[in-house]
Amino acid sequence: MNHCGLEPAVRVMQAPASCLGTAKEENPIYWDWACLKTNASNQSFCSPMATYLEFIQQNEERDGVRFSWNVWPSSRLEATRMVVPLACLLTPLKERLDLPPVQYEPVLCSRSTCKAVLNPLCQVDYRAKLWACNFCFQRNQFPPAYAGISDINQPAELMPQFSTIEYIVQRGPQTPLIFLYVVDTCLEEEDLQALKESLQMSLSLLPADALVGLITFGRMVQVHELSCEGISKSYVFRGTKDLTAKQIQWQLLFLQPVHKIDMNLTDLLGELQRDPWPVTQGKRPLRSTGVALSIAVGLLEYYETLANRTAASGHCIDIYACALDQTGLLEMKCCANLTGGHMVMGDSFNTSLFKQTFQRVFNKGFNGEFRMAFGATLDVKTSRELKIAGAIGPCISLNAKGPCVSENELGTGGTSQWKICSLDPSTTLAIYFEVVNQHNAPIPQGGRGAVQFVTQYQHSSMQKRIRVTTIARNWADAQTQLQHIEAAFDQEAAAVLMARLGVYRAESEEGPDVLRWLDRQLIRLCQKFGQYNKDDPNSFRLSESFSLYPQFMFHLRRSPFLQVFNNSPDESSYYRHHFARQDLTQSLIMIQPILYAYSFHGPPEPVLLDSSSILPDRILLMDTFFQIVIYLGETIAQWQKAGYQDMPEYENFKHLLQAPLDDAQEILQTRFPMPRYIHTEHGGSQARFLLSKVNPSQTHNNLYAWGQEPGAPILTDDVSLQVFMDHLKKLAVSSAS
């Protein structure tokens, strides 16, 4: 768990048991865009499309922000006709090697309802030492420390390259990190032993001045006292009785600095025994999960009260659930989803998937600091033409009302501030906006809208920091400048933003209703931006900036985020948890997995996520984010079984077999959580992981069709991308729709 403001940062770790032609015309390499160079002068010349793509990429690298639209429709009416809402993906703590924090406080606008931070978009009068807020236009005096500024001696926050800047705030006491382990002992001996070893290992990775505590639970809950020398002492609570924070008054006995009790806790973990209570045959063990968590939170709340902390508690709960049966992630998902905690699901604690994932929680970044932050608040400020509709991600509302808050909510709305109890450099939120400028109040030519994101958080070094990102985009009249709005559409960001909305709705609506909603939005978007003759599907075309969007929606409809068939409730909760917090690149991999081919015909290459890519003389590597699948084609598998790779004259075959293993290892070593590794072959039972993801362009229904390309037919009644696109074209051009 973690904290907001000045209260202790705490982490509770819980361990319960163009796609408009055929499918071949898809462009799966949607992340690789380049600007062409002339041979004569070696100077870049870019089409408008490439220029916008470069602009989008540069902004993401600098500010950690991707907008669905990068030229904004200038009126409320036109914005609603764009179908995809004006929204952005924000990675508040995106790692920047070139962004050292400054050692002073930010300068704030003096208007009490604004409090925006001084930024490069503000107008500055260097002679009078005044600056005008670009959000509310309030004129503000610079503080005395800025007496020496001039147009050639600017502070960093006024320089255009510092649209994102980070401040270290010196005020207030530093508070320690707290790690409270809540351990389920209703495990098999082998699993419990593996879990104990991982917990003992983690103690050596914690900061030396962190506080640590231990709670174990089976049918009863035991809170362990860690300061006892030579004797194990614990307090036992019934699993049927809840306790308040005030009832737990001995808290200081339970949370101790890790460097003082390292050996005691290591021994205590080593002595943990399986829960002794008998289990009725055919029944699961009785677990006091809820009471154990209640006591954990009670301990932490009491600590905050004792330390006179005034901000609301901001603890984060990690859940590590490793068992073959259902552990209750569906019921417990809010604990991790709302607090920014990790959720890890596996078959056993005695697997590399759990062990390496758990170890990576304590990984350090390039600067030797933990890749974790705590108790963050995100404050979003907008120019007057915009309002904030809501956010989707690992956050809760702080109910901060104001003039920039929209009445129309998307996600967690009704506020301009959210609490993010725990976050890391990849944690990404979706922020949705509403254009409120009226159609009859035109924005002057060249006008720009602005948004500022202010993230206050506790760094893992216990420093309080504030990161400020301020961005601006041009307004355009959609009636006369639609081509500019269209060219600045970010179809990758738009796909992820719409997918987050769909998954958010799926938590409270029936699956078919969500799919129908996504389909309606896609049809409306194609009607708005497609070029076609009425009632002539063959005339339908989408511009390059929209051409990939329909295939993203096709794969989203088939994804485990919306299709719960063949997934347990715990698995669905697990997949949705990660989709709601990952950055754009990882989210796109989840929606449309990446497929690479290895063969003797050339170097490894990305290929279509299509059944036609499954060939006998190929090895395929598929990355779905949650799984890494290596698939040997029929011929390759036969050669391997014949042992050709062990013969000196077939050394090239040995290298071919090794190449995907090396590439898979690179992914496995860096991703969090560690993916499930699957090695299979043609006809293997686990080939289903690949066959369920590829576009079924060849099925048992069209196996003998004339002109059929080589590939593996899929036994499915799912429609292919080609059929999906044909239906989409018909509906988009229809006079009746």
Side-chain angles (χ1 to χ4, degrees), residues 18-26 537-538 550-551 554-555 558 609-611 694-699 702 708 718-730:
S18 115
C19 51
L20 298 180
T22 66
K24 291 183 172 301
E25 295 168 8
E26 297 176 77
N538 293 326
Q551 80 179 41
F554 169 78
H555 288 290
R558 307 179 75 223
L609 187 67
D610 192 281
S611 58
V694 295
N695 167 41
S697 60
Q698 299 153 297
T699 70
N702 64 2
Q708 183 68 56
D718 287 356
V719 300
S720 66
L721 177 62
Q722 175 63 46
V723 174
F724 178 79
M725 288 305 305
D726 288 344
H727 280 281
L728 176 60
K729 292 178 193 177
K730 289 177 184 175

Side-chain angles (χ1 to χ4, degrees), residues 276-566:
W277 285 87
V279 180
T280 306
Q281 187 174 0
K283 302 286 186 180
R284 296 182 188 175
L286 292 173
R287 288 175 166 92
S288 304
T289 311
V291 172
L293 270 180
S294 175
I295 291 172
V297 174
L299 285 178
L300 300 169
E301 288 174 355
Y302 182 74
Y303 183 89
E304 288 151 13
T305 305
L306 196 69
N308 295 316
R309 307 307 179 199
T310 56
S313 60
H315 316 309
C316 116
I317 299 176
D318 295 348
I319 302 177
Y320 302 88
C322 295
L324 289 172
D325 59 0
Q326 296 295 288
T327 56
L329 283 183
L330 172 68
E331 292 78 13
M332 294 188 290
K333 63 186 178 185
C334 57
C335 293
N337 291 351
L338 300 183
T339 68
H342 300 305
M343 185 185 287
V344 175
M345 187 174 72
D347 295 338
S348 167
F349 289 112
N350 196 24
T351 60
S352 58
L353 187 149
F354 165 71
K355 292 177 180 178
Q356 295 191 37
T357 297
F358 188 58
Q359 188 169 344
R360 286 174 197 172
V361 171
F362 307 98
N363 274 1
K364 295 183 178 180
F366 63 88
N367 51 10
E369 297 172 335
F370 286 101
R371 294 166 55 85
M372 56 177 77
F374 302 98
T377 58
L378 172 64
D379 188 0
V380 181
K381 303 176 187 302
T382 64
S383 49
R384 292 175 177 178
E385 305 88 355
L386 283 177
K387 287 193 175 183
I388 303 157
I392 296 177
C395 61
I396 57 172
S397 170
L398 286 176
N399 295 311
K401 309 296 183 183
C404 64
V405 176
S406 170
E407 294 178 358
N408 302 313
E409 297 185 14
L410 288 177
T412 305
T415 182
S416 61
Q417 295 178 12
W418 296 265
K419 178 183 288 186
I420 313 168
C421 297
S422 174
L423 68 169
D424 58 47
S426 67
T427 302
T428 301
L429 281 78
I431 313 291
Y432 298 85
F433 301 94
E434 179 185 15
V435 178
V436 293
N437 194 60
Q438 293 305 313
H439 196 64
N440 56 4
I443 296 172
Q445 186 73 22
R448 306 181 85 196
V451 179
Q452 186 174 82
F453 306 99
V454 182
T455 308
Q456 302 188 43
Y457 68 98
Q458 180 176 337
H459 190 263
S460 61
S461 65
M462 298 188 291
Q463 295 171 336
K464 184 178 180 183
R465 294 191 177 186
I466 301 175
R467 183 177 290 207
V468 181
T469 295
T470 311
I471 61 92
R473 297 290 187 271
N474 291 333
W475 294 105
D477 185 341
Q479 293 185 327
T480 59
Q481 299 173 305
L482 186 61
Q483 71 277 14
H484 295 303
I485 297 175
E486 184 177 329
F489 180 65
D490 184 345
Q491 55 191 331
E492 296 176 358
V496 176
L497 288 160
M498 289 296 283
R500 282 218 189 177
L501 273 176
V503 173
Y504 182 85
R505 293 174 70 125
E507 291 290 347
S508 58
E509 298 179 24
E510 293 294 328
D513 293 341
V514 177
L515 293 178
R516 279 192 290 270
W517 174 79
L518 277 172
D519 290 344
R520 284 197 301 270
Q521 305 308 306
L522 178 58
I523 294 166
R524 287 181 57 210
L525 190 78
C526 290
Q527 289 173 331
K528 175 71 176 178
F529 294 100
Q531 299 172 354
Y532 54 89
N533 300 322
K534 276 287 184 185
D535 298 316
D536 181 5
N538 293 326
S539 67
F540 184 85
R541 295 290 181 272
L542 277 177
S543 67
E544 190 179 359
S545 56
F546 289 85
S547 60
L548 297 174
Y549 186 82
Q551 80 179 41
F552 289 143
M553 293 296 107
F554 169 78
H555 288 290
L556 174 65
R557 295 174 92 263
R558 307 179 75 223
S559 72
F561 312 117
L562 300 180
Q563 296 289 348
V564 297
F565 177 75
N566 222 21

Side-chain angles (χ1 to χ4, degrees), residues 558 610-614 631 687-688 690-703 711-718:
R558 307 179 75 223
D610 192 281
S611 58
S612 63
S613 297
I614 305 174
Y631 172 91
R688 67 186 188 277
L690 172 67
L691 301 179
S692 65
K693 292 292 184 184
V694 295
N695 167 41
S697 60
Q698 299 153 297
T699 70
H700 58 291
N701 293 321
N702 64 2
L703 181 58
I714 310 295
L715 298 175
T716 180
D717 290 324
D718 287 356

